Amino acid sequence: MIPINSFRDYVKNRHYGCYIISRRPLILTSYWHDFRLNYEKLGEILPADISVWMIFQIGYYKSEEAAREIRNEISEYQAQHPNFHFWFQNNSLEEDKRFKALGLNSLFINQNAFLDEKRYRIIPGKKRYDAIYLARFTPVKRHFLAKNIKKLLLIGSYKPSESDYYQESRTILAHADYKEKIWGKEVSRYMNKAHVGLCLSDLEGAMFVSTEYLLSGLPVVSTESLGGRDIYYQGEYARIVAADPEVIANEVYKLIESSPEAQDIRNETLRIMLAHRRKFIEFIQGIYEQQKVTRDFSKEWDTVFIHKMGLRARVPYSVYKRKIVSSHFTYTNIE
C-alpha cells in the first residue's frame, strides 16, 4: 500500500488532490483545478511505463473560452505523458457537449451524485424558518435576493477580501438569523429547521448544498443558473425563478403552502444521483474490460465510494491509503 505511517505523516505530506479509484489498472480522480496545481509533482511520482487514467471533476462552470484553454493544456500534458488518459466529468449537458465538440473526453456525470446520502436525513419537527441559505458570503451568491423572506437563516463564512460584501449583506438582511459555521454532520439538522432551501447564484458549479437541501427533504427555490445544479430539479418541489427578491419570496411561500412531501423529494433526488453513479460505474467497468481485467467494479463500489470521492473533504483514516500522499509513492508499493 502507499506508505503512510501515521496521521501526522498524512498531515505533513500533501495528498496532491487525488483519490485512487483502482490500483490495477491505475485510475485516479481529482478536481481539474487541483490536478493543475499538482501536475508537476504527480508527473514525477506516477509511473511512466503504464497507462494512468485521470478522471476530473470540473467544479466551476466552464465557458467556451475556459474549455478551449483546457483543451490546450491537455494537449501539452498529453505530449509530456502519452500514457495518461484524461477524462472530464461535466455537471451539465451543455458543458458535456462543449467539451466533446472540442475533442475532449467527456462524461455527463454530475459531481453531486458523489454526495454520501447517508449523511443527510429528514428530521421531523417544527420549522423555525421560512427559508435557509447555506452559502459563503461572496458576491456570486447574491444574498440580497433573500431580503423579502421574513424568517430567514443564513449559514456561511467569508474571506477577508469579502468583508465588504459580508457587511453589506448583513445590513440588507439584518432581520435574518446568522451562523458562521456548522460541522458537516450537522447540515441536515440545520436544514430541517427551515421549510425551503435557497440557491441564489447565477453561475457556479453543481452546488453541493443544492442537493444537500433535497436529500434533507427540503424543496428548493433557485434562480436561473449555469453549472448543473438544476438537473436535480425534476419535480414541483423545485422552482427556478427570476433573480428578483419579490418573485423569490413569493415562490418560497407558495412552496410552504403546498408543502411537498419530504420523502418524495429525497427519493426523486436519489433516483437521479444513482443514475449518474451507474454511468460512472459502467465507465470504470469499460476500462477494466479494455485492460482485460476480469473484476466487476460494481462489486467493488462499496469499498471505493466515499463522500465526494474523498476530494476536498475530510476522510476517515481507514481510506487514507486511497490518497496519494507522499513523494515516496511508487506503483509497486500499491497493494
Side-chain angles (χ1 to χ4, degrees):
M1 95 182 157
I2 300 171
I4 306 170
N5 297 319
S6 67
F7 178 77
R8 185 173 298 174
D9 288 343
Y10 174 74
V11 173
K12 182 179 179 181
N13 293 293
R14 294 189 61 187
H15 58 69
Y16 306 130
C18 289
Y19 185 75
I20 301 172
I21 301 297
S22 167
R23 295 169 169 82
R24 290 188 174 87
L26 187 52
I27 306 172
L28 312 175
T29 186
S30 175
Y31 274 101
W32 168 244
H33 175 73
D34 297 345
F35 172 78
R36 291 174 70 245
L37 291 177
N38 294 293
Y39 167 71
E40 291 186 4
K41 180 58 67 176
L42 287 168
E44 293 174 3
I45 66 176
L46 291 174
D49 56 347
I50 66 165
S51 292
V52 180
W53 278 264
M54 292 294 312
I55 306 172
F56 302 117
Q57 292 190 23
I58 285 297
Y60 209 81
Y61 172 81
K62 295 297 182 286
S63 64
E64 179 79 23
E65 180 181 0
R68 289 185 181 278
E69 290 177 0
I70 289 173
R71 182 187 61 180
N72 294 339
E73 289 184 81
I74 284 294
S75 296
E76 294 179 11
Y77 295 156
Q78 196 76 72
Q80 297 169 14
H81 296 279
N83 62 315
F84 280 29
H85 303 271
F86 299 107
W87 284 83
F88 293 88
Q89 290 178 196
N90 273 294
N91 293 318
S92 67
L93 273 172
E94 175 197 349
E95 293 165 284
D96 179 55
K97 292 176 181 177
R98 178 175 295 141
F99 274 53
K100 287 175 177 172
L102 291 171
L104 294 166
N105 297 321
S106 180
L107 303 160
F108 174 38
I109 299 178
N110 188 283
Q111 69 176 27
N112 292 12
F114 300 110
L115 290 170
D116 183 354
E117 65 272 20
K118 294 189 294 295
R119 295 169 63 103
Y120 309 96
R121 61 197 190 281
I122 298 166
I123 304 173
K126 186 176 180 180
K127 306 287 189 180
R128 293 179 53 190
Y129 301 99
D130 299 329
I132 179 174
Y133 192 23
L134 200 164
R136 198 179 93 221
F137 280 87
T138 191
V140 71
K141 295 294 188 177
R142 305 194 296 187
H143 287 73
F144 65 91
L145 291 173
K147 67 180 183 179
N148 288 357
I149 297 170
K150 297 172 185 176
K151 297 179 181 178
L152 178 66
L153 174 61
L154 304 174
I155 300 176
S157 58
Y158 61 95
K159 296 179 179 179
S161 61
E162 298 163 336
S163 59
D164 288 345
Y165 172 79
Y166 168 75
Q167 294 297 338
E168 180 183 352
S169 299
R170 290 303 312 277
T171 299
I172 295 171
L173 303 170
H175 65 290
D177 285 350
Y178 167 72
K179 190 171 183 62
E180 182 178 2
K181 293 180 181 179
I182 58 175
W183 292 101
K185 293 183 179 180
E186 293 183 306
V187 167
S188 281
R189 183 166 69 85
Y190 278 92
M191 287 183 173
N192 276 274
K193 294 176 183 287
H195 288 280
V196 177
L198 298 176
C199 302
L200 303 179
S201 60
D202 61 344
L203 180 69
E204 58 175 298
M207 190 178 180
F208 284 124
V209 166
S210 173
T211 304
E212 290 174 331
Y213 291 141
L214 300 171
L215 289 172
S216 301
L218 271 67
V220 167
V221 171
S222 170
T223 56
E224 296 176 351
S225 65
L226 296 173
R229 70 179 181 238
D230 57 320
I231 73 162
Y232 295 94
Y233 300 164
Q234 300 297 314
E236 287 299 311
Y237 56 81
R239 309 287 173 84
I240 301 175
V241 301
D244 179 278
E246 184 174 351
V247 173
I248 290 166
N250 285 341
E251 290 301 319
V252 166
Y253 292 109
K254 286 180 183 177
L255 278 171
I256 293 174
E257 184 177 354
S258 63
S259 188
E261 178 60 42
Q263 192 61 54
D264 290 345
I265 296 171
R266 180 179 168 88
N267 290 346
E268 177 63 10
T269 303
L270 285 171
R271 183 189 68 78
I272 299 168
M273 290 174 64
L274 293 176
H276 282 256
R277 285 185 193 173
R278 282 194 296 272
K279 288 165 67 175
F280 183 82
I281 291 169
E282 290 168 2
F283 174 70
I284 301 300
Q285 188 62 41
I287 297 175
Y288 280 10
E289 292 171 4
Q290 177 187 336
Q291 296 298 298
K292 311 300 183 185
V293 173
T294 58
R295 304 197 313 270
D296 183 345
F297 183 65
S298 66
K299 294 180 179 178
E300 300 174 359
W301 176 251
D302 287 342
T303 61
V304 172
F305 174 66
I306 191 170
H307 184 55
K308 298 183 179 179
M309 298 309 283
L311 303 179
R312 299 181 183 176
R314 294 177 181 272
V315 299
Y317 184 78
S318 60
V319 299
Y320 284 169
K321 62 185 179 181
R322 287 191 177 272
K323 293 275 194 175
I324 295 182
V325 300
S326 170
S327 58
H328 299 295
F329 172 92
T330 64
Y331 189 61
T332 55
N333 281 339
I334 307 174
E335 287 184 342

